[in-house]
């Protein structure tokens, strides 16, 4: 055996040892994102035990091959790795730290992965509790939306030790196409909320520009083409146009249904606002966009995709 082959083989051993894989997986929170993520794990051969407060959500994933549980504690005590995909801070805190929660029931050494989008300080609090109980915790929020969850093309932004990240990597990539180590606990959440704040702002900017051009007599489709080959180009103008009919597959062409809801982007802006208040950082546009999306929610648009801002601006302009 040549020296290069020996070297490559020994590297392989190191890689396998650090990328520990798991037989028994727990999954809590089987909503729009979690149900698809859990089903992708089942497809890749993992044995899943699942829980949600909504029985129908459990039945949905059980029909794909998971075992249903009666509580988070039941999921937790049977798992080597456990993923949570829950709506907000309070749900995640309760699930992990209540007396009958995940941390109290888990076996020592269990790896806990929270993929919900929450406040980084909540991730840090949970990680401390987990460590006290001999457990490992990483935050791993995702981008890619429901389509990415369904097609297993999510990007995981991970906060935690490098060792735990490497140990979880193969497992995470069963639900996505990419996992990036962002730094210590909470840094996955920081990456997620900063990105979403920028996205929220850019969608408003694109919508204002397109509406103003239209009001001045310029066809929004022509203006979009110009923007997309000019300096204003961004994801919101090019890939996810808020103009109905321009890109057939995006929510604006489906009466703003599906996609990423106004309520969820407003939630993420609230997280950015709370974080910026703690650090004293100026986020004038982030704060303003938070208020704009919240006002849209008050107008009954919370369930529509956030690109509905374009329609909202046009309605306001008519008044
Ligand atoms: P969702 O509301 O569809 O699903 C959440 C699930 O959690 C529901 O089934 C609910 O019944 C369950 N749940 C709530 N409290 C619970 C508890 N105490 N115990 C067990 N189950 C409980 O939300 P979603 O769209 O799947 O989003 C989940 C998280 O992912 C959110 O933090 C969201 O911001 C983030 N996210 C969503 C998207 C998206 O496009 N939907 C994209 C990226 C990230």
């Amino acid at each position: 055996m040549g020296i290069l082959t020996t070297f490559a083989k020994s590297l392989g051993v190191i890689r396998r040892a650090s990328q520990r894989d798991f037989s028994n997986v727990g999954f809590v929170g089987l909503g729009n994102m979690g149900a698809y993520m859990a089903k992708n794990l089942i497809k890749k051969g993992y044995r899943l035990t699942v829980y949600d407060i909504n029985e129908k959500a459990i039945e949905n994933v059980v029909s794909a091959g998971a075992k249903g549980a009666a509580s988070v504690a039941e999921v937790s005590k049977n798992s080597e790795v456990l993923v949570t995909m829950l709506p907000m801070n309070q749900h995640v805190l309760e699930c992990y730290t209540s007396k009958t929660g995940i941390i109290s029931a888990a076996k020592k050494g269990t790896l806990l992965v929270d993929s919900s989008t929450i406040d980084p300080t909540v991730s840090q609090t949970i990680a401390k509790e987990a460590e006290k109980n001999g457990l490992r915790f990483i935050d791993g929020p995702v981008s890619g939306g429901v389509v990415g969850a369904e097609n297993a093309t999510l990007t995981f932004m991970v906060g935690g030790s490098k060792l735990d990240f490497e140990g979880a990597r193969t497992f995470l990539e069963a639900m996505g196409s990419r996992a990036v180590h962002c730094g210590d606990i909470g840094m996955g959440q920081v990456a997620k909320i900063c990105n979403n704040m920028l996205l929220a702002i850019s969608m408003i900017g694109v919508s204002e520009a397109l509406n103003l051009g239209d009001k001045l007599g310029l066809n929004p489709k022509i203006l979009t083409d110009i923007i997309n080959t000019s300096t204003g180009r961004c994801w919101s103008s090019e890939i996810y146009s808020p103009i109905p009919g321009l890109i057939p597959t995006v929510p604006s062409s489906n009466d703003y249904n599906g996609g990423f809801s106004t309520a969820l982007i407003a939630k993420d802006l609230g997280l950015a606002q709370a974080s910026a208040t703690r650090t004293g950082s100026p986020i004038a546009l982030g704060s303003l966009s938070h208020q704009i999306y919240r006002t849209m929610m008050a107008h009954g648009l919370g369930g529509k995709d956030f690109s509905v801002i374009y329609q909202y601006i046009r309605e306001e302009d008519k008044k």
Side-chain angles (χ1 to χ4, degrees), residues 29-40 42 48 50-52 54-68:
L30 309 166
N32 291 328
M33 298 289 289
Y36 284 126
M37 292 163 72
K39 285 179 183 177
N40 281 327
I42 296 168
L48 255 72
V50 299
Y51 177 73
D52 193 291
N54 176 351
E55 274 183 30
K56 285 216 169 92
I58 299 181
E59 280 163 24
N60 172 27
V61 181
V62 166
S63 70
K67 181 173 171 254

Side-chain angles (χ1 to χ4, degrees), residues 14-49:
I14 293 165
R15 193 169 161 79
R16 274 196 298 282
S18 62
Q19 286 187 349
R20 188 190 139 184
D21 224 0
F22 310 94
S23 318
N24 295 313
V25 175
F27 209 111
V28 175
L30 309 166
N32 291 328
M33 298 289 289
Y36 284 126
M37 292 163 72
K39 285 179 183 177
N40 281 327
L41 289 172
I42 296 168
K43 279 185 208 154
K44 304 266 165 72
Y46 289 97
R47 200 162 48 227
L48 255 72
T49 307

